[in-house]
Amino acid sequence: MYQQPLQPVAGSLALSAACAALPLLTLFVLLGVVRARAWIAAFGALTVAVVLAWWLWRMPLSQTLLAAGQGATFALFPLVWTFGTAIWIYRLTVHTGHFDTLRQGFARISDDRRIQAMVIAFCFGSLLEALAGQGTPVAVTTVMLLALGFTPVRAAAVALAANTVPAAFGPLGLPITTLAGVTGLPVPELGMMAGRQVPVIAVVVPLVLLVVVDGRRGVRELWRPALACGVAFAVAQFVTANFLTAALADITAAFAGMGVLLLVTRRPAVRQRIPVTAGGGLPEEREAPPPRGSQWRAYAPYLTIVAVFAVSQVPAVKHLLDAGTVTFSWPGLHVVTASGAPSPLTTFRFAWFAAPGSLLVVAGLVTMALLRVSPREAVRLYGRTLFELRWAVLTVVGLLALSFTMNAAGQIATLGVWMAGAGGFFAVLAPVLGWLGVALTGSDTSSNSLFGALQVAAAQRAGLDPVLLAAANASGGTLGKMISLQNLTIAAAAVGLSGREGDLFRRMFGWSVALLALMCLLVGLQATPVLAWMVP
């Protein structure tokens, strides 16, 4: 049995925290400074984490390697299973020529790529996050933007920037229910508090998308539609989380934002002149509308995805799918926390039927039938997709092995306890913990399971509201999505930029930190009489 030590280095929490940060520092330096390939950065950081766990944290080498193996398995199922299948469905539409029809359909909504970015990446992506998560929104919306003529880098950047605020509530409130489970706090109050933090950032995100797509000119020309979209999204998110249920917050917000955006841009938008890929420029004359029969088949795969995930949440269907979930303790891995309580990190779940990747397979089978793709051709396309994603798969395996190793050894706990020592100022730092957790794991749910209890303990020691800080973990975590190596890898792989994850990281890091600073300021003020009225 291994018990996690909090200050293994010379009995000093500060020195221990400095050492615990070395794997993360290695990851960011290799990725952002050295510009190493993503899989090299992930495995380089993993090597540092394993050595530290064995040498300083005194975790038996066998258990250290078992923790890394558990993370690698989690990377393959459900993560690779999810984004690999999502990209496969896209390849089916490309193979049959229906993605060109879809591109024309979105182009008829507006020929302005800035409007397209908000409709597809922000609104439709939020709907996918609410139903699926696990990188599905980035995988799907990135390739849709690419087909509309965005350059690969811009398509990836737009999808990453948009996949932020929906993460606090989706899929179907799972991050909030997980947070309630590890903290013992009521789900409604946590949902209400997150619904009074995340919508503030949601107002800004469409404006950020304008800058990413077209710089200052984009804001100057389209700030009114973008602001209307952001406000509609934020209001719907706030109302649903506070007066209905957090599980539906992103779904109602996605439809509200899309509806208002299409309403205010019903007139022809300003034509945009931005660099696009070869052959992807805006045509001088509108393309002839595709045959009517091909139009519905072009939209069918994505409507099928939404329908399959919606049906999977019907209580009777959900119960049936959950019956196939196998939960067990990872063999040979025996870990207790610093307090002596059994660590939940050793528990592993194989959700064979309920996993997003499995549901996407169902959507893919329906897509095969609708697009008339033979099983042999579909299997060939899936194999080709996995081969092209091999470096992305290797990156995700290394990243999740790193995450599980640091968590099992107690390195993440050491960092969290050290940050919690800031006392009342911890209210400002609370979102940073969530941001760090998501940047490392790629999941707001995982970040909440890591730091939720720590946030509550720190709040009690500092005399702060536990609900405020627990929700701040989920809210701050949303802003780590755009720089999480998992999302960076998925986006890069989807548009053929494997090996350039570092370029995307440098492009998104400033935005991530700027929005995080805004969230920290908001939470800090909510901990004072200035905005204390916002705490339920």
Side-chain angles (χ1 to χ4, degrees):
M1 184 68 67
Y2 169 72
Q3 184 169 7
Q4 299 173 337
L6 292 178
Q7 42 193 29
V9 183
S12 169
L13 183 59
L15 286 176
S16 300
C19 291
L22 288 177
L24 301 180
L25 183 63
T26 301
L27 179 67
F28 293 143
V29 168
L30 288 176
L31 192 64
V33 180
V34 179
R35 302 192 179 189
R37 292 177 65 89
W39 70 268
I40 294 176
F43 278 91
L46 172 62
T47 301
V48 174
V50 168
V51 171
L52 290 175
W54 170 68
W55 182 38
L56 295 181
W57 268 257
R58 303 295 181 184
M59 186 177 190
L61 184 59
S62 60
Q63 295 217 46
T64 304
L65 296 178
L66 282 171
Q70 183 186 10
T73 304
F74 183 81
L76 295 174
F77 187 94
L79 297 184
V80 172
W81 179 233
T82 297
F83 74 78
T85 306
I87 295 175
W88 168 64
I89 294 175
Y90 156 72
R91 296 287 171 84
L92 289 175
T93 64
V94 172
H95 175 73
T96 56
H98 287 89
F99 208 94
D100 287 336
T101 304
L102 183 69
R103 175 183 57 79
Q104 293 179 36
F106 274 108
R108 282 194 296 275
I109 293 175
S110 172
D111 61 4
D112 191 315
R113 283 174 171 71
R114 299 164 294 187
I115 300 297
Q116 294 167 353
M118 288 185 281
V119 170
I120 296 172
F122 186 55
C123 299
F124 184 62
S126 297
L127 183 61
L128 290 178
E129 181 68 38
L131 295 171
Q134 300 284 0
T136 304
V138 173
V140 172
T141 61
T142 301
V143 293
M144 293 179 73
L145 294 172
L146 186 67
L148 285 169
F150 284 73
T151 62
V153 171
R154 184 172 278 113
V158 169
L160 289 168
N163 186 224
T164 49
V165 290
F169 299 107
L172 291 169
L174 180 60
I176 298 299
T177 55
T178 300
L179 186 61
V182 299
T183 61
L185 298 173
V187 171
E189 288 189 17
L190 290 173
M192 291 168 65
M193 190 67 251
R196 302 177 189 192
Q197 294 171 340
V198 175
V200 175
I201 306 298
V203 174
V204 182
V205 171
L207 297 172
V208 172
L209 295 183
L210 290 181
V211 179
V212 172
V213 176
D214 196 29
R216 294 181 180 178
R217 183 182 61 177
V219 177
R220 185 174 63 251
E221 294 180 351
L222 287 177
W223 68 268
R224 291 180 181 86
L227 190 60
C229 174
V231 169
F233 187 100
V235 169
Q237 208 175 42
F238 166 79
V239 170
T240 307
N242 279 271
F243 301 104
L244 296 174
T245 171
L248 299 177
D250 286 339
I251 295 177
T252 59
F255 282 114
M258 186 179 299
V260 168
L261 183 61
L262 296 181
L263 181 65
V264 300
T265 59
R266 61 185 181 273
R267 294 180 180 178
V270 179
R271 187 176 296 275
Q272 191 181 12
R273 301 177 181 85
I274 61 172
V276 295
T277 53
L282 291 171
E284 292 298 326
E285 299 179 0
R286 286 188 176 272
E287 301 175 67
R292 179 163 304 188
S294 66
Q295 289 185 23
W296 72 266
R297 280 198 295 269
Y299 289 96
Y302 299 98
L303 295 176
T304 300
I305 290 174
V306 173
V308 168
F309 279 98
V311 170
S312 72
Q313 299 304 318
V314 174
V317 177
K318 183 176 176 61
H319 178 74
L320 186 63
L321 294 174
D322 288 340
T325 299
V326 178
T327 303
F328 60 91
S329 295
W330 194 256
L333 189 59
H334 308 292
V335 179
V336 295
T337 64
S339 64
S343 173
L345 299 172
T346 60
T347 301
F348 199 90
R349 296 177 70 252
F350 275 106
W352 296 109
F353 304 136
S358 301
L359 297 176
L360 283 171
V361 167
V362 174
L365 294 175
V366 175
T367 298
M368 287 169 51
L370 294 174
L371 303 187
R372 300 168 187 171
V373 179
S374 68
R376 181 177 180 179
E377 187 64 17
V379 170
R380 186 189 69 81
L381 285 173
Y382 203 115
R384 181 180 173 186
T385 298
L386 291 180
F387 178 77
E388 293 176 356
L389 293 176
R390 61 192 183 281
W391 298 116
V393 171
L394 192 60
T395 299
V396 174
V397 167
L399 176 66
L400 269 296
L402 166 67
S403 172
F404 275 64
T405 299
M406 293 186 67
N407 290 329
Q411 294 163 8
I412 294 295
T414 295
L415 280 170
V417 171
W418 174 71
M419 293 180 66
F425 185 70
F426 184 68
V428 178
L429 298 177
V432 178
L433 266 183
W435 175 82
L436 180 63
V438 173
L440 182 62
T441 67
S443 166
D444 207 35
T445 301
S446 298
S447 178
N448 288 344
S449 66
L450 288 178
F451 295 130
L454 176 63
Q455 296 274 18
V456 171
Q460 293 170 342
R461 287 197 297 268
L464 299 169
D465 192 301
V467 171
L468 171 63
L469 295 199
N473 195 84
S475 302
T478 63
L479 306 174
K481 291 282 280 187
M482 69 174 79
I483 62 165
S484 75
L485 193 52
Q486 175 186 314
N487 264 9
L488 291 172
T489 302
I490 293 172
V495 295
L497 292 176
S498 293
R500 294 184 58 187
E501 292 85 356
D503 293 340
L504 291 176
F505 174 79
R506 287 187 294 274
R507 189 182 182 101
M508 307 310 302
F509 186 77
W511 287 114
S512 181
V513 171
L515 294 177
L516 175 64
L518 178 59
M519 179 63 72
C520 289
L521 176 62
L522 174 64
V523 175
L525 290 175
Q526 288 175 335
T528 69
V530 177
L531 293 181
W533 52 270
M534 295 182 69
V535 180

